[in-house]
Amino acid sequence: DIQSGRLPPSVLFYGPEAEGKLTTALELARALSCRLGTAEWCCQCPDCAMHRELTHPDLAIAGPRDCALEIKASAATFLASHAPSSHVTSSKQSAARFLFIRSIRKLTCRFSGALAEGDEGKGAKALPLVAAIADMLEDFYSLGDSFDDLEKAVNGLVDAACKLEDDFLPDSVPISVIRNAASWTRLAPYGKKKILIVENADRMQD
Protein backbone atom coordinates (compact mmCIF):
# COMPACT_ATOMS: atom_id res chain seq x y z
CA ASP A 1 0.00 0.00 0.00
CA ILE A 2 2.86 2.42 0.78
CA GLN A 3 4.69 1.62 -2.45
CA SER A 4 1.54 2.01 -4.53
CA GLY A 5 0.41 5.17 -2.73
CA ARG A 6 -2.81 3.55 -1.51
CA LEU A 7 -2.18 3.65 2.25
CA PRO A 8 -5.16 5.39 3.92
CA PRO A 9 -4.56 8.40 6.19
CA SER A 10 -5.76 6.43 9.25
CA VAL A 11 -5.03 2.79 10.06
CA LEU A 12 -6.47 0.68 12.89
CA PHE A 13 -4.34 -2.12 14.36
CA TYR A 14 -6.56 -4.57 16.21
CA GLY A 15 -5.66 -7.76 18.05
CA PRO A 16 -4.91 -9.45 21.38
CA GLU A 17 -2.73 -7.82 24.01
CA ALA A 18 1.06 -7.99 23.53
CA GLU A 19 0.92 -8.93 19.84
CA GLY A 20 3.12 -6.02 18.76
CA LYS A 21 0.53 -3.51 17.59
CA LEU A 22 2.49 -0.51 18.92
CA THR A 23 5.73 -1.85 17.48
CA THR A 24 4.02 -2.28 14.11
CA ALA A 25 2.61 1.25 14.27
CA LEU A 26 6.04 2.67 15.14
CA GLU A 27 7.63 0.81 12.24
CA LEU A 28 4.93 2.06 9.89
CA ALA A 29 5.69 5.59 11.07
CA ARG A 30 9.39 5.05 10.32
CA ALA A 31 8.63 3.60 6.89
CA LEU A 32 6.48 6.61 6.01
CA SER A 33 9.24 8.99 7.15
CA CYS A 34 12.28 7.31 5.56
CA ARG A 35 14.04 9.76 3.26
CA LEU A 36 15.46 6.96 1.11
CA GLY A 37 12.09 5.26 0.78
CA THR A 38 13.46 1.81 1.69
CA ALA A 39 12.98 1.93 5.50
CA GLU A 40 15.45 -0.90 6.08
CA TRP A 41 16.14 -1.33 9.80
CA CYS A 42 19.78 -0.34 9.30
CA CYS A 43 18.85 2.70 7.16
CA GLN A 44 21.24 5.54 7.98
CA CYS A 45 18.99 8.44 6.98
CA PRO A 46 18.42 10.95 9.83
CA ASP A 47 14.67 10.33 9.94
CA CYS A 48 15.05 6.58 10.44
CA ALA A 49 17.69 7.19 13.11
CA MET A 50 15.37 9.50 15.04
CA HIS A 51 12.45 7.09 14.70
CA ARG A 52 14.55 4.20 16.03
CA GLU A 53 15.37 6.33 19.08
CA LEU A 54 11.74 7.57 19.30
CA THR A 55 12.93 11.20 19.16
CA HIS A 56 11.49 12.23 15.78
CA PRO A 57 9.63 15.58 16.01
CA ASP A 58 6.96 14.28 13.60
CA LEU A 59 5.96 11.43 15.95
CA ALA A 60 3.48 11.75 18.81
CA ILE A 61 1.92 9.01 20.94
CA ALA A 62 -1.23 9.29 23.04
CA GLY A 63 -3.29 6.85 25.05
CA PRO A 64 -2.97 4.73 28.17
CA ARG A 65 -0.50 1.85 28.45
CA ASP A 66 1.14 -0.27 31.16
CA CYS A 67 4.63 1.01 30.38
CA ALA A 68 6.16 -0.01 33.72
CA LEU A 69 6.02 -3.72 32.86
CA GLU A 70 8.19 -3.29 29.76
CA ILE A 71 10.48 -0.74 31.43
CA LYS A 72 11.24 -3.01 34.40
CA ALA A 73 11.77 -6.06 32.18
CA SER A 74 14.11 -4.25 29.78
CA ALA A 75 15.99 -2.71 32.74
CA ALA A 76 16.57 -6.18 34.21
CA THR A 77 17.76 -7.45 30.82
CA PHE A 78 20.13 -4.51 30.41
CA LEU A 79 21.66 -4.92 33.88
CA ALA A 80 22.01 -8.70 33.43
CA SER A 81 23.87 -8.13 30.16
CA HIS A 82 26.32 -5.73 31.89
CA ALA A 83 26.83 -7.67 35.13
CA PRO A 84 30.49 -8.44 35.94
CA SER A 85 29.81 -12.19 35.64
CA SER A 86 28.09 -11.79 32.26
CA HIS A 87 29.72 -13.03 29.08
CA VAL A 88 27.27 -11.28 26.76
CA THR A 89 28.74 -9.83 23.56
CA SER A 90 28.99 -6.07 23.08
CA SER A 91 26.40 -6.16 20.28
CA LYS A 92 23.86 -7.79 22.63
CA GLN A 93 24.72 -5.24 25.31
CA SER A 94 24.02 -2.46 22.80
CA ALA A 95 20.71 -4.08 21.89
CA ALA A 96 19.73 -4.31 25.56
CA ARG A 97 20.58 -0.62 26.08
CA PHE A 98 18.56 0.28 22.98
CA LEU A 99 15.49 -1.65 24.16
CA PHE A 100 15.66 -0.08 27.62
CA ILE A 101 15.87 3.46 26.25
CA ARG A 102 12.98 2.80 23.83
CA SER A 103 10.83 1.45 26.67
CA ILE A 104 11.30 4.74 28.56
CA ARG A 105 10.54 6.85 25.50
CA LYS A 106 7.36 4.90 24.74
CA LEU A 107 6.13 6.50 27.95
CA THR A 108 7.62 9.99 27.69
CA CYS A 109 6.38 10.42 24.08
CA ARG A 110 2.87 10.60 25.56
CA PHE A 111 3.76 13.85 27.29
CA SER A 112 5.18 15.80 24.35
CA GLY A 113 4.87 19.56 24.67
CA ALA A 114 2.66 19.77 21.57
CA LEU A 115 0.01 17.49 23.06
CA ALA A 116 0.15 19.04 26.55
CA GLU A 117 0.05 22.66 25.37
CA GLY A 118 -2.61 24.72 27.13
CA ASP A 119 -3.51 21.77 29.35
CA GLU A 120 -3.82 22.74 33.00
CA GLY A 121 -4.35 19.12 34.05
CA LYS A 122 -2.00 16.22 34.63
CA GLY A 123 -0.32 16.51 31.22
CA ALA A 124 1.11 19.96 31.87
CA LYS A 125 2.08 19.14 35.46
CA ALA A 126 4.06 16.15 34.23
CA LEU A 127 6.36 18.18 31.96
CA PRO A 128 9.06 18.94 34.60
CA LEU A 129 9.39 15.22 35.36
CA VAL A 130 9.47 14.42 31.63
CA ALA A 131 12.29 16.97 31.20
CA ALA A 132 14.16 15.43 34.15
CA ILE A 133 13.88 11.96 32.59
CA ALA A 134 15.21 13.37 29.29
CA ASP A 135 18.24 14.76 31.15
CA MET A 136 18.77 11.41 32.89
CA LEU A 137 18.72 9.66 29.52
CA GLU A 138 21.35 12.06 28.16
CA ASP A 139 23.58 11.26 31.15
CA PHE A 140 22.88 7.55 30.65
CA TYR A 141 24.31 7.69 27.12
CA SER A 142 27.65 8.97 28.41
CA LEU A 143 28.12 6.45 31.23
CA GLY A 144 31.19 4.24 31.18
CA ASP A 145 31.44 0.53 31.99
CA SER A 146 31.18 0.79 35.79
CA PHE A 147 28.37 -1.59 36.75
CA ASP A 148 27.60 0.35 39.94
CA ASP A 149 27.12 3.56 37.96
CA LEU A 150 24.98 1.79 35.38
CA GLU A 151 22.83 0.15 38.04
CA LYS A 152 22.31 3.45 39.85
CA ALA A 153 21.36 5.23 36.62
CA VAL A 154 18.98 2.47 35.51
CA ASN A 155 17.25 2.31 38.89
CA GLY A 156 16.86 6.09 38.88
CA LEU A 157 15.30 6.03 35.42
CA VAL A 158 12.94 3.18 36.35
CA ASP A 159 11.81 4.99 39.51
CA ALA A 160 11.22 8.26 37.64
CA ALA A 161 9.35 6.52 34.81
CA CYS A 162 7.13 4.60 37.22
CA LYS A 163 6.31 7.84 39.05
CA LEU A 164 5.46 9.50 35.74
CA GLU A 165 3.10 6.68 34.82
CA ASP A 166 1.51 6.32 38.27
CA ASP A 167 0.98 10.03 38.90
CA PHE A 168 0.30 11.49 35.46
CA LEU A 169 -0.69 8.95 32.78
CA PRO A 170 -4.50 9.09 32.42
CA ASP A 171 -6.66 5.99 32.00
CA SER A 172 -8.15 7.42 28.82
CA VAL A 173 -7.20 10.07 26.26
CA PRO A 174 -8.24 13.54 27.52
CA ILE A 175 -10.18 15.71 25.08
CA SER A 176 -7.49 18.40 25.42
CA VAL A 177 -4.92 15.98 23.99
CA ILE A 178 -7.18 15.23 21.01
CA ARG A 179 -7.72 18.94 20.35
CA ASN A 180 -3.98 19.63 20.58
CA ALA A 181 -3.26 16.64 18.35
CA ALA A 182 -5.70 17.92 15.73
CA SER A 183 -3.87 21.27 15.68
CA TRP A 184 -0.43 19.65 15.74
CA THR A 185 -1.14 17.38 12.76
CA ARG A 186 -2.09 20.40 10.63
CA LEU A 187 1.32 22.03 11.09
CA ALA A 188 4.03 21.50 8.48
CA PRO A 189 6.09 18.38 9.24
CA TYR A 190 9.80 18.40 10.03
CA GLY A 191 10.29 15.64 7.48
CA LYS A 192 7.84 13.89 5.13
CA LYS A 193 4.80 13.23 7.34
CA LYS A 194 3.43 13.74 10.83
CA ILE A 195 2.26 10.59 12.57
CA LEU A 196 -0.03 10.42 15.59
CA ILE A 197 -0.39 7.03 17.30
CA VAL A 198 -3.37 6.65 19.66
CA GLU A 199 -2.89 3.51 21.69
CA ASN A 200 -5.88 1.76 23.26
CA ALA A 201 -8.15 4.03 21.25
CA ASP A 202 -11.17 2.05 22.45
CA ARG A 203 -10.68 3.72 25.84
CA MET A 204 -11.11 7.26 24.51
CA GLN A 205 -13.90 9.35 25.99
CA ASP A 206 -16.94 10.14 23.82
Side-chain angles (χ1 to χ4, degrees), residues 53 74-75 77-79 81-82 93-105 132-158:
E53 297 286 339
S74 59
T77 300
F78 172 78
L79 290 176
S81 71
H82 284 75
Q93 287 180 335
S94 297
R97 178 186 293 258
F98 173 77
L99 289 174
F100 174 60
I101 291 172
R102 268 178 68 103
S103 72
I104 298 281
R105 290 205 171 120
I133 292 173
D135 290 341
M136 293 167 73
L137 282 173
E138 286 300 317
D139 294 340
F140 182 71
Y141 274 111
S142 60
L143 286 176
D145 295 327
S146 168
F147 182 76
D148 290 341
D149 291 343
L150 288 172
E151 186 175 39
K152 183 179 179 181
V154 167
N155 290 337
L157 278 164
V158 170

Side-chain angles (χ1 to χ4, degrees), residues 105-179:
R105 290 205 171 120
K106 284 178 186 177
L107 171 63
T108 57
C109 279
R110 295 160 207 274
F111 297 91
S112 72
L115 299 188
E117 188 176 339
D119 180 12
E120 299 301 326
K122 287 185 176 181
K125 293 176 182 175
L127 293 182
L129 181 54
V130 174
I133 292 173
D135 290 341
M136 293 167 73
L137 282 173
E138 286 300 317
D139 294 340
F140 182 71
Y141 274 111
S142 60
L143 286 176
D145 295 327
S146 168
F147 182 76
D148 290 341
D149 291 343
L150 288 172
E151 186 175 39
K152 183 179 179 181
V154 167
N155 290 337
L157 278 164
V158 170
D159 289 344
C162 288
K163 178 174 176 57
L164 179 64
E165 180 175 331
D166 291 342
D167 294 354
F168 299 108
L169 189 64
D171 294 329
S172 61
V173 185
I175 187 62
S176 60
V177 170
I178 297 301
R179 288 173 179 150

